[in-house]
Amino acid sequence: MERGKMAEAESLETAAEHERILREIESTDTACIGPTLRSVYDGEEHGRFMEKLETRIRNHDREIEKMCNFHYQGFVDSITELLKVRGEAQKLKNQVTDTNRKLQHEGKELVIAMEELKQCRLQQRNISATVDKLMLCLPVLEMYSKLRDQMKTKRHYPALKTLEHLEHTYLPQVSHYRFCKVMVDNIPKLREEIKDVSMSDLKDFLESIRKHSDKIGETAMKQAQQQRNLDNIVLQQPRIGSKRKSKKDTYIIFDTEIESTSPKSEQDSGILDVEDEEDDEEGARETFENYYRKQRRKQARLVLQPPSNMHETLDGYRKYFNQIVGFFVVEDHILHTTQGLVNRAYIDELWEMALSKTIAALRTHSSYCSDPNLVLDLKNLIVLFADTLQVYGFPVNQLFDMLLEIRDQYSETLLKKWAGIFRNILDSDNYSPIPVTSEEVYKKVVGQFPFQDIELEKQPFPKKFPFSEFVPKVYNQIKEFIYACLKFSEDLHLSSTEVDDMIRKSTNLLLTRTLSNCLQNVIKRKNIGLTELVQIIINTTHLEKSCKYLEEFITNITNVLPETVHTTKLYGTTTFKDARHAAEEEIYTNLNQKIDQFLQLADYDWMTGDLGNKASDYLVDLIAFLRSTFAVFTHLPGKVAQTACMSACKHLATSLMQLLLEAEVRQLTLGALQQFNLDVRECEQFARSGPVPGFQEDTLQLAFIDLRQLLDLFIQWDWSTYLADYGQPNCKYLRVNPVTALTLLEKISREMKDTSRKNNMFAQFRKNERDKQKLIDTVAKQLRGLISSHHS
């Protein structure tokens, strides 16, 4: 029973499942029925399901049949109408076909045109796309072409900048093109190539400017000289719209010289032609800058090394300056036409080094120069050198300071030169008054030397100036020396007061040292004669008077009045006074030497017993010489002539006294004393004759008073008076010294004793001789007493 119930329950479940599957089949899309049917085949009631399916199909067929029966009349009607429509449709088809044929025929050309339009539109799109792509590519190609052009023309630094822009700006925009990849791959090679070639050209450029620096410097200095000459002309003439050459104009020197002298000029300038762009290649720039500056420093040291024989000629200095100027003209040009290769600090440092070395070299080499003309030319060259570099902005004050040092050296060389000139003038002078035979000659001399003498002007020709030729010659040479000093001061930017002070100090050295030494040397010459000495005194007197005219001459050329504060005065007066005093002393010495020479001819027979009746021959000749000599003293200042005459007479008197008292003469006779007295009288006669005007009466005779009183004492044998009046202020023999009297008395005593022994060898002394001898002994004793009392 239970089994029956269970089977019935299972049958109900199967029937429900089959009903569900059938509903699902009816409602599900045919494409999705597979899973449903699979579930039927997977079950065990397949047959029952098929039965149910057949039953369901039969039910649906019956429903379809019922529906068809219901709609059959409508279907028939529809078929009938459809057949009618079929005929109309055929007609319509024929019309459409005909219309289509006509349309196809008529639209054939349009189709062709549309096809062409389509192709054109396609081409237009392609062209537009191509243009857009080309617009992106063209800048790249243009930059690459520019790069190639710059490399071809060897403008390497701009090429590096172009390469930088190409790599970082243009190529990234078209990086997907194959040609761009080729360019990108080639960029490192191009960069290295540019750097290598640039460095090679930089080396060539450095070598080129090294070779042509002197030519550049020569041209720059020539232009500076031309500009200075033009400025001088403008200062002397009214201004006619001229203007000073600008610094910009002077850069043409550099370009002109490089183009005209170097086949690499365009290549070199390409290195320097830098555009104003951002600097992204610091490494490459520093490499080039460091190399350039290092090489230029080496070149600077070579340029600043002067040749060992530079001081021998002006060309040596000129070449040295040309190289330095050329070097710094190039550096200044590079500073103003490049960006970063050099800077002002580098230039200033280089110039400071160059300036110190140049000044040191000039100090050393100029010290060897002994030719003032070369020193002056060197000064002018240094001024031109300084002016040229000053145009380019280089400070040159130290050069002008050094020129002041060279000025002192120039003065020394001038002094040496003028020492030779003065020596030649003094050696070639005849030391005779200048004769003039005509008014023309007179005016010529007066034109050379400031001299006025109304009395001389009134005299008829021929006549003579009081001075010799060396006076106008020396005066004119002093003026030439002043002109030479003035030449050195030109263009040194000195004030009139400084120039005046320089000229006066140098002229004072010329007068007090050079001319004074030359005059002293002439005066001290061994063979100098009294006539020459007298003429020197006359000449120096006139030169001394001319000093005020030299003062006026300096004032006229410097426009600085002598009254100006701190103005140096000329020492010419002192110089000529000293020379004149030296000449006077030399005259006195020379006269005494001449007197000594005559006295050496004296040949007295101190043992003679004969009484002479005339003066000795040597003394007569001496007096004649003195008369002729003092006759030449007419143009000397009176005091000089009087002093010379008095000095000569005193020296003659002293020499005669020494001759009488000399120790070698141990004996003398009264006869010899009488002859000596005649000679002294001749001297006294000369003194009384007034050989030189201006002496008061008997003043010149006083030179012989010692001799006169001594000779009178012995010749008159007036011992009683001498001994009695000795020591009295008004005694007759006041000038006779007891020592002198005793010396002479002993000589006479010895002669008398010797004579007595010879004449009375075997006999007694005669009475009068014995008495005289006793008297001599008594006087000698008294004289010794006077001497001892005087000493005590």
Side-chain angles (χ1 to χ4, degrees):
M1 188 72 178
E2 289 179 359
R3 186 175 296 175
K5 287 181 181 180
M6 290 177 62
E8 185 179 354
E10 287 177 0
S11 177
L12 289 174
E13 287 178 4
T14 301
E17 179 64 24
H18 287 170
E19 186 64 29
R20 184 189 66 77
I21 291 172
L22 288 174
R23 285 196 302 270
E24 192 172 312
I25 290 172
E26 291 174 347
S27 61
T28 305
D29 189 8
T30 307
C32 299
I33 202 172
T36 303
L37 294 177
R38 180 174 293 276
S39 63
V40 174
Y41 285 101
D42 290 339
E44 296 179 355
E45 298 294 333
H46 180 263
R48 293 180 66 183
F49 176 76
M50 291 302 294
E51 291 176 358
K52 276 200 175 274
L53 180 61
E54 286 294 333
T55 302
R56 183 64 59 90
I57 291 172
R58 285 192 298 271
N59 290 336
H60 281 294
D61 285 341
R62 284 193 298 268
E63 288 178 2
I64 292 171
E65 185 178 354
K66 287 178 182 180
M67 188 175 293
C68 286
N69 289 332
F70 179 77
H71 292 288
Y72 178 74
Q73 185 61 42
F75 173 73
V76 172
D77 293 340
S78 296
I79 291 298
T80 301
E81 290 181 4
L82 183 61
L83 289 174
K84 292 178 182 179
V85 170
R86 180 178 180 184
E88 295 297 328
Q90 186 63 41
K91 291 179 182 179
L92 181 60
K93 178 182 178 183
N94 293 335
Q95 291 176 357
V96 170
T97 301
D98 186 55
T99 302
N100 180 58
R101 187 182 72 255
K102 292 179 180 180
L103 181 62
Q104 291 297 326
H105 181 268
E106 295 295 334
K108 187 175 183 181
E109 293 182 1
L110 180 60
V111 170
I112 295 173
M114 289 300 293
E115 189 64 30
E116 291 177 354
L117 178 60
K118 177 183 176 182
Q119 292 297 324
C120 287
R121 293 272 177 86
L122 180 60
Q123 290 176 0
Q124 186 179 17
R125 285 195 300 271
N126 291 339
I127 289 172
S128 179
T130 303
V131 168
D132 292 340
K133 300 301 181 182
L134 286 175
M135 292 300 291
L136 290 174
C137 296
L138 276 178
V140 177
L141 297 174
E142 288 174 354
M143 291 296 287
Y144 192 79
S145 176
K146 179 180 178 182
L147 172 64
R148 283 300 184 183
D149 288 341
Q150 289 171 337
M151 292 178 64
K152 185 177 181 180
T153 57
K154 298 201 173 181
R155 297 174 68 246
H156 302 299
Y157 195 84
L160 282 175
K161 303 303 291 181
T162 302
L163 186 63
E164 189 71 19
H165 284 287
L166 183 64
E167 181 180 16
H168 296 290
T169 304
Y170 294 95
L171 284 177
Q173 299 176 7
V174 289
S175 58
H176 53 282
Y177 294 110
R178 283 182 297 173
F179 78 91
C180 293
K181 188 177 184 305
V182 174
M183 288 185 182
V184 170
D185 294 340
N186 203 30
I187 281 177
K189 298 178 182 178
L190 291 174
R191 183 177 286 111
E192 288 303 315
E193 179 184 351
I194 291 172
K195 289 181 180 179
D196 292 343
V197 177
S198 296
M199 183 59 73
S200 175
D201 284 354
L202 178 60
K203 293 177 181 178
D204 293 341
F205 172 73
L206 288 168
E207 179 64 19
S208 176
I209 57 177
R210 184 190 68 79
K211 289 180 179 179
H212 301 105
S213 283
D214 56 345
K215 188 67 175 177
I216 295 170
E218 180 183 359
T219 305
M221 292 183 70
K222 282 182 180 178
Q223 291 195 359
Q225 181 65 59
Q226 292 170 359
Q227 184 63 47
R228 190 164 66 178
N229 295 339
L230 182 60
D231 290 344
N232 292 335
I233 294 173
V234 171
L235 289 175
Q236 296 171 7
Q237 297 178 355
R239 234 171 248 282
I240 313 177
S242 63
K243 61 180 180 179
R244 189 173 182 84
K245 182 183 296 182
S246 68
K247 183 178 179 180
K248 182 178 179 182
D249 295 335
T250 60
Y251 288 143
I252 300 172
I253 299 169
F254 175 78
D255 295 331
T256 302
E257 289 304 319
I258 291 296
E259 289 175 5
S260 62
T261 57
S262 173
K264 295 283 188 180
S265 60
E266 293 183 0
Q267 301 171 14
D268 296 338
S269 62
I271 299 172
L272 307 176
D273 187 12
V274 181
E275 299 173 359
D276 250 343
E277 299 175 352
E278 292 294 329
D279 189 1
D280 297 326
E281 298 218 355
E282 289 298 328
R285 175 184 290 276
E286 289 180 4
T287 300
F288 277 85
E289 287 177 3
N290 293 336
Y291 180 81
Y292 176 84
R293 295 183 184 185
K294 180 180 179 181
Q295 295 303 314
R296 287 298 276 169
R297 282 193 176 95
K298 288 182 180 178
Q299 291 183 5
R301 284 192 287 271
L302 292 175
V303 165
L304 295 169
Q305 183 65 37
S308 59
N309 61 342
M310 182 175 73
H311 59 277
E312 295 178 358
T313 62
L314 190 64
D315 284 339
Y317 290 103
R318 184 177 287 110
K319 291 178 181 178
Y320 181 62
F321 289 148
N322 286 345
Q323 289 181 346
I324 297 175
V325 171
F327 181 91
F328 283 99
V329 166
V330 170
E331 290 303 293
D332 187 73
H333 180 77
I334 291 174
L335 174 66
H336 289 87
T337 56
T338 68
Q339 187 180 28
L341 192 58
V342 297
N343 54 34
R344 175 52 64 184
Y346 160 78
I347 294 288
D348 291 343
E349 177 191 353
L350 206 58
W351 172 242
E352 284 297 323
M353 182 267 290
L355 192 60
S356 62
K357 288 185 176 293
T358 302
I359 290 175
L362 290 175
R363 281 199 182 108
T364 301
H365 284 267
S366 63
S367 63
Y368 299 141
C369 185
S370 58
D371 181 5
N373 292 328
L374 181 57
V375 176
L376 182 60
D377 291 339
L378 174 59
K379 166 256 170 184
N380 292 330
L381 195 58
I382 293 174
V383 170
L384 180 59
F385 171 71
D387 288 347
T388 304
L389 287 169
Q390 196 170 31
V391 171
Y392 292 88
F394 295 100
V396 293
N397 290 337
Q398 293 184 46
L399 286 173
F400 285 100
D401 293 340
M402 184 205 60
L403 281 173
L404 298 182
E405 300 175 17
I406 295 182
R407 178 189 64 185
D408 297 334
Q409 179 191 343
Y410 176 71
S411 296
E412 289 299 322
T413 57
L414 280 182
L415 292 174
K416 291 180 182 178
K417 177 181 178 180
W418 257 259
I421 292 174
F422 287 147
R423 281 195 298 269
N424 291 336
I425 292 174
L426 296 176
D427 291 343
S428 61
D429 195 64
N430 59 8
Y431 295 94
S432 300
I434 300 175
V436 287
T437 57
S438 65
E439 185 70 24
E440 182 181 358
V441 177
Y442 185 88
K443 289 181 178 180
K444 180 180 178 181
V445 175
V446 173
Q448 293 174 344
F449 181 75
F451 175 79
Q452 289 182 341
D453 188 334
I454 298 176
E455 294 299 325
L456 184 62
E457 290 177 1
K458 293 179 180 179
Q459 293 179 14
F461 292 101
K463 51 189 175 183
K464 295 181 179 180
F465 284 98
F467 47 80
S468 67
E469 289 184 355
F470 96 59
V471 170
K473 288 181 179 179
V474 166
Y475 181 81
N476 284 320
Q477 285 302 322
I478 294 173
K479 290 171 67 176
E480 289 297 323
F481 178 86
I482 293 171
Y483 277 128
C485 292
L486 181 64
K487 286 181 181 178
F488 194 91
S489 66
E490 293 174 351
D491 302 318
L492 292 186
H493 312 302
L494 300 176
S495 65
S496 298
T497 304
E498 290 174 316
V499 174
D500 182 85
D501 184 67
M502 181 201 75
I503 291 176
R504 290 177 181 272
K505 286 181 178 178
S506 298
T507 306
N508 278 333
L509 285 176
L510 179 76
L511 295 173
T512 59
R513 192 173 77 184
T514 305
L515 181 56
S516 177
N517 289 341
C518 291
L519 289 171
Q520 294 290 342
N521 290 336
V522 172
I523 292 169
K524 299 296 182 182
R525 279 194 310 215
K526 291 183 178 180
N527 60 344
I528 189 74
L530 286 171
T531 304
E532 288 89 344
L533 290 170
V534 170
Q535 191 62 57
I536 288 173
I537 293 175
I538 296 171
N539 290 350
T540 53
T541 301
H542 286 284
L543 284 172
E544 179 184 348
K545 292 177 181 178
S546 71
C547 286
K548 64 178 182 179
Y549 298 103
L550 290 175
E551 290 269 10
E552 293 176 1
F553 177 71
I554 295 175
T555 299
N556 290 335
I557 63 175
T558 62
N559 295 320
V560 178
L561 298 176
E563 297 79 13
T564 305
V565 180
H566 304 310
T567 299
T568 305
K569 305 298 179 184
L570 287 185
Y571 302 145
T573 302
T574 304
T575 297
F576 297 123
K577 280 183 178 178
D578 292 345
R580 186 164 62 253
H581 292 160
E584 292 170 3
E585 292 297 329
E586 196 64 26
I587 285 178
Y588 308 150
T589 303
N590 196 301
L591 272 175
N592 294 343
Q593 290 175 349
K594 288 292 184 181
I595 291 172
D596 292 341
Q597 291 174 6
F598 278 102
L599 289 174
Q600 288 176 0
L601 300 176
D603 187 19
Y604 288 103
D605 183 4
W606 299 111
M607 303 300 293
T608 184
D610 300 332
L611 298 178
N613 55 6
K614 64 175 183 178
S616 302
D617 293 339
Y618 87 91
L619 192 69
V620 173
D621 294 339
L622 172 58
I623 296 301
F625 164 75
L626 292 176
R627 289 185 187 279
S628 63
T629 299
F630 291 136
V632 181
F633 286 15
T634 53
H635 292 293
L636 283 176
K639 184 179 179 182
V640 177
Q642 294 167 15
T643 304
C645 189
M646 177 60 77
S647 173
C649 290
K650 285 183 177 181
H651 182 71
L652 177 58
T654 302
S655 299
L656 288 173
M657 181 69 78
Q658 292 174 351
L659 195 64
L660 186 63
L661 300 177
E662 63 182 2
E664 293 180 359
V665 180
R666 296 186 56 80
Q667 300 178 12
L668 58 81
T669 64
L670 290 175
L673 204 60
Q674 287 286 354
Q675 179 61 47
F676 195 81
N677 183 52
L678 290 175
D679 292 345
V680 173
R681 287 185 182 280
E682 186 71 20
C683 295
E684 290 173 329
Q685 177 61 32
F686 167 73
R688 282 194 298 272
S689 67
V692 173
F695 283 111
Q696 295 181 357
E697 186 177 356
D698 296 336
T699 300
L700 195 57
Q701 287 180 257
L702 293 177
F704 301 97
I705 189 66
D706 291 1
L707 275 173
R708 173 47 48 213
Q709 290 185 8
L710 179 63
L711 291 173
D712 285 351
L713 174 62
F714 276 87
I715 291 173
Q716 296 176 13
W717 209 252
D718 196 7
W719 293 106
S720 58
T721 302
Y722 175 78
L723 294 172
D725 294 344
Y726 182 78
Q728 300 298 321
N730 296 321
C731 66
K732 181 178 180 181
Y733 303 104
L734 180 65
R735 306 290 297 180
V736 178
N737 189 294
V739 177
T740 303
L742 178 60
T743 301
L744 191 59
L745 185 64
E746 287 175 344
K747 292 184 178 185
I748 294 174
S749 174
R750 282 193 289 269
E751 189 277 330
M752 292 182 65
K753 288 180 181 179
D754 189 57
T755 302
S756 296
R757 280 197 304 270
K758 291 179 181 179
N759 294 335
N760 302 287
M761 187 174 297
F762 304 105
Q764 296 294 326
F765 287 111
R766 286 177 293 185
K767 185 177 182 301
N768 59 341
E769 292 178 349
R770 288 198 303 273
D771 293 341
K772 193 170 185 178
Q773 187 62 48
K774 287 180 180 180
L775 177 60
I776 291 174
D777 292 340
T778 301
V779 170
K781 185 177 181 181
Q782 290 178 332
L783 288 173
R784 292 188 183 95
L786 290 176
I787 294 170
S788 61
S789 63
H790 176 71
H791 286 304
S792 63

